[in-house]
Amino acid sequence: MKVLLDLQYLNVATTGIKTYMMELAHAALAYPHPDIEWVFSHDPEEQSADQTFKGPQTKIHRLNYHMDYFRWKEFQLPDLIKKHQPDVLICADFVSPAASLPCRRLTVIHDAFFWQMPQNYPKWWRTYFLSLIRKGLKEDTEIITTTEYSRKSLYKYLKKIYPMTVIHQAPKKLANGVDPSFLENHGLKSQQYFLHIGTFDKRKNLPLLVRSFADFLKKTDSNFKLVLAGGAGQSTQMNDKPVVNELVAELHLQDKVILPGYVSDAQVRSLYENGFGYVFPSENEGFGIPIVEAMAFGLPVIHSDQPALMEVAGQAGLAVKTGDQQDLTEKMILLSSENSRLETMIEKGKEQSKKFSSKNFIEGFQTVILKN
């Protein structure tokens, strides 16, 4: 069985989809199956390192990228299929070619955000991208998604019922080593800060986290800090970074809320290994990779009761009512004051994180690939 994995999108992917595609490619190589031959459209490391369409962009630059993406999906990828003649095509970035293909398609649709939160995307771009998604869902297509929550959400919005399988993904494998100076440079002490890593998208509810942390400091008189690592939201509509910056200044938390921007693997590892707790108040997620990462490092997790996060955390996290500032503050206080609860959460979290291994991830795909 020959399988072609489309990795073109790695040249711009920066968030969870990048992790998904890289870990899928790595797992395919690490856990080969005797009945499956993998063909990659691109070398994953080289494609990920391509800077052609990354960084600050003009309108012309963005337009050139969209044209490049369209050419790939609708012309170059079908040509590659003719060349390699795979039995299965996997597109892990929502979009499969609109052209008729002589092979099965496994299209990964990670979440239903484009339907659920239209206000977070430029209207023209959302219309265009949804059109690409729908045109690629044809012939012998099976959808792969990340959680039961995403599966149910997609069935609600897709006009046609497609076979759909949930495969839980694996988190990114962080490079070995830590950055010994990173914590010191930001005035951080081990076990003395709450952590969040990710973009400042509006759905992440980071202004709520800042307000809850301010209340936490007032009620506990502690020396804790809050680290919000990551870059701006993915579009002007989605970006809450300016709101967070203004809120930090308004609440006089400049010395308490640390905003280091994008962080390297070594810095991420340093943050996870020395943090007190991970806080994930997001109002909508398709999966929630940081929950698995944090738990694997022995970091207790406070998360919203959003369905995907509840599914990924199992019974190992401390759930708060989504959007409830007071509840979040109370859970942060609870975590900081009950050592027995803390220890139990750490142990449960380590066990829960083992379910999301690279081996389990690729075996999910192998089962789908070989079932017909």
Side-chain angles (χ1 to χ4, degrees):
M1 183 78 69
K2 185 183 289 187
V3 179
L4 174 60
L5 176 59
D6 174 13
L7 296 174
Q8 163 76 6
Y9 187 69
L10 281 174
N11 66 342
V12 294
T14 59
T15 55
I17 297 180
K18 178 181 179 180
T19 297
Y20 191 102
M21 296 174 74
M22 292 293 287
E23 294 310 313
L24 178 57
H26 291 160
L29 298 175
Y31 301 99
H33 191 287
D35 297 325
I36 297 176
E37 174 190 353
W38 288 91
V39 178
F40 294 169
S41 67
H42 300 75
D43 178 276
E45 308 300 334
E46 292 179 2
Q47 187 69 359
S48 178
D50 184 352
Q51 297 296 311
T52 304
F53 295 109
K54 292 177 181 174
Q57 297 180 351
T58 64
K59 289 184 178 180
I60 295 298
H61 197 217
R62 289 195 295 270
L63 179 61
N64 285 338
Y65 164 70
H66 289 304
M67 292 175 63
D68 181 76
Y69 184 82
F70 183 83
R71 281 194 301 270
W72 169 256
K73 286 292 184 180
E74 305 306 338
F75 299 100
Q76 294 169 288
L77 183 54
D79 284 345
L80 199 63
I81 290 169
K82 290 179 182 177
K83 175 183 176 180
H84 291 287
Q85 298 183 345
D87 301 287
V88 179
L89 168 68
I90 299 179
C91 292
D93 59 342
F94 290 82
V95 177
S96 177
S100 295
L101 301 176
C103 61
R104 290 171 56 206
R105 309 173 191 229
L106 301 182
T107 301
V108 183
I109 302 184
H110 299 256
D111 49 59
F113 294 168
F114 298 117
W115 293 274
Q116 293 171 325
M117 298 180 291
Q119 71 278 7
N120 286 352
Y121 306 94
K123 185 176 180 180
W124 71 269
W125 182 87
R126 176 178 172 271
T127 300
Y128 166 71
F129 198 70
L130 286 178
S131 174
L132 289 183
I133 292 174
R134 289 195 175 99
K135 287 179 179 178
L137 296 177
K138 59 194 303 183
E139 300 167 338
D140 194 0
T141 293
E142 181 165 349
I143 295 173
I144 306 297
T145 194
T146 54
T147 56
E148 285 296 330
Y149 166 70
S150 289
R151 184 181 66 84
K152 293 175 182 177
S153 298
L154 289 170
Y155 274 138
K156 178 180 178 181
Y157 292 102
L158 294 176
K159 294 181 179 180
K160 180 180 175 182
I161 300 300
Y162 298 89
M164 196 178 306
T165 301
V166 173
I167 299 176
H168 288 151
Q169 67 192 88
K172 178 181 179 181
K173 284 186 174 64
L174 296 174
N176 291 327
V178 297
D179 184 341
S181 63
F182 181 74
L183 298 185
E184 182 179 351
N185 291 343
H186 290 282
L188 297 171
K189 296 182 180 179
S190 183
Q191 301 296 307
Q192 289 293 305
Y193 59 87
F194 289 103
L195 174 65
H196 181 279
I197 300 176
T199 59
F200 282 70
D201 287 353
K202 290 184 182 296
R203 63 184 172 84
K204 301 291 186 178
N205 266 343
L206 295 182
L208 176 84
L209 175 53
V210 172
R211 293 189 185 95
S212 294
F213 178 67
D215 290 343
F216 167 83
L217 292 179
K218 291 177 183 177
K219 294 179 179 181
T220 61
D221 193 31
S222 77
N223 292 319
F224 273 56
K225 293 187 177 183
L226 172 64
V227 180
L228 303 178
Q234 297 182 63
S235 70
T236 301
Q237 291 95 326
M238 297 168 66
N239 185 25
D240 251 351
K241 184 68 160 51
V243 176
V244 169
N245 289 338
E246 292 177 7
L247 190 58
V248 168
E250 177 187 328
L251 297 174
H252 306 290
L253 293 174
Q254 292 91 334
D255 294 332
K256 291 291 187 179
V257 177
I258 310 302
L259 304 168
Y262 285 110
V263 284
S264 67
D265 281 5
Q267 292 164 349
V268 169
R269 184 179 287 275
S270 297
L271 288 169
Y272 276 138
E273 288 185 352
N274 292 280
F276 174 78
Y278 194 94
V279 189
F280 203 173
S282 180
E283 68 179 23
N284 200 2
E285 294 291 331
F287 185 77
I289 290 174
I291 284 184
V292 180
E293 292 179 338
M295 288 181 172
F297 275 94
L299 207 58
V301 176
I302 299 173
H303 60 84
S304 63
D305 61 359
Q306 191 270 342
L309 300 186
M310 295 291 289
E311 181 178 337
V312 172
Q315 300 298 314
L318 190 59
V320 302
K321 185 176 179 180
T322 301
D324 191 321
Q325 179 180 328
Q326 181 178 346
D327 192 20
L328 180 54
T329 300
E330 290 174 355
K331 291 303 194 306
M332 295 168 77
I333 294 172
L334 184 64
L335 192 65
S336 67
S337 61
E338 293 192 9
N339 289 335
S340 60
R341 179 185 294 271
L342 189 69
E343 293 171 1
T344 299
M345 287 179 63
I346 290 172
E347 292 305 313
K348 286 185 176 180
K350 288 180 178 178
E351 285 302 311
Q352 179 70 5
S353 70
K354 294 176 183 178
K355 298 178 182 179
F356 304 95
S357 66
S358 295
K359 189 172 186 293
N360 288 344
F361 185 28
I362 196 62
E363 285 180 350
F365 271 94
Q366 291 168 350
T367 297
V368 175
I369 289 166
L370 297 171
K371 73 178 183 180
N372 289 336

